[in-house]
């Protein structure tokens, strides 16, 4: 039986990456989560953060959060299964930028019901690497 999208083992190299790249997790967001590489763009960081929610990696989420807005701790909802990410648009956030925004829609299932989260996230470079700053109000 095929494994379902959503919470996955961060150590499973066979799974396709939850970020939607079509690449195995071990060749995509896995190395970023493990600290072996960094996200090159704001969109890449957004994708890695979505994947971290999908595999349940709260430590990576905290490490990739700006120091001025990072919560002390983060508790992920074990009943929420992230199923698909859509990138709706980006503004800046490239290799030579210091700020950027990514608008996305993240799909999930909770208590057997589908849902989605629409957000425009702001990203900045901190100590030379991309981090999540906050969400812009609608």
């Amino acid at each position: 039986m095929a494994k379902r999208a959503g919470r996955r083992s961060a150590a499973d190299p066979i799974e396709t990456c939850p970020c939607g790249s079509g690449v195995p997790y071990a060749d995509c967001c896995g190395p970023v989560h493990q600290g072996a590489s960094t996200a090159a763009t704001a969109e890449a960081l957004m994708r890695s953060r979505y994947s971290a929610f999908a595999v349940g990696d709260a430590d990576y989420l905290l490490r990739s959060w700006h120091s001025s807005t990072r919560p002390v701790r983060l508790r992920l909802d074990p009943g929420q299964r992230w199923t698909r990410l859509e990138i709706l648009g980006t503004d800046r956030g490239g290799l030579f930028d210091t700020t950027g925004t990514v608008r996305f829609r993240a799909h999930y299932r909770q208590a057997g019901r589908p849902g989605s989260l629409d957000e425009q996230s702001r990203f900045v470079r901190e100590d030379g690497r991309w981090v999540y700053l906050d969400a812009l109000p609608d």
Side-chain angles (χ1 to χ4, degrees):
M1 174 182 229
K3 292 184 181 179
R4 296 180 352 208
R7 283 224 187 282
R8 299 172 180 169
S9 166
D12 190 344
I14 299 168
E15 289 287 333
T16 301
C17 193
C19 80
S21 67
V23 176
Y25 173 78
D27 298 328
C28 191
C29 292
V32 178
H33 292 171
Q34 296 163 3
S37 65
T38 60
T41 64
E43 181 180 336
L45 183 70
M46 172 61 235
R47 289 179 176 280
S48 74
R49 287 179 55 83
Y50 171 85
S51 291
F53 276 103
V55 300
D57 191 344
D59 290 338
Y60 173 75
L61 290 165
L62 290 170
R63 285 193 316 273
S64 63
W65 213 308
H66 192 273
S67 61
S68 70
T69 57
R70 179 186 314 130
V72 174
R73 68 184 69 90
L74 182 63
R75 184 181 172 276
L76 301 178
D77 183 347
Q80 192 168 42
R81 187 171 56 91
W82 295 96
T83 58
R84 184 168 55 100
L85 175 66
E86 294 177 76
I87 301 296
L88 304 175
T90 61
D91 182 28
R92 296 187 316 265
L95 295 174
F96 302 107
D97 294 317
T98 57
T99 65
T101 60
V102 178
R103 178 171 289 286
F104 68 92
R105 179 172 298 129
H107 298 268
Y108 62 87
R109 291 193 70 80
Q110 189 162 22
R113 293 196 167 118
S116 65
L117 167 71
D118 287 55
E119 183 175 300
Q120 185 166 353
S121 296
R122 289 194 309 166
F123 299 90
V124 298
R125 288 193 188 265
E126 183 175 52
D127 299 327
R129 65 183 182 91
W130 285 108
V131 292
Y132 168 77
L133 181 62
D134 60 14
L136 292 170
D138 288 333

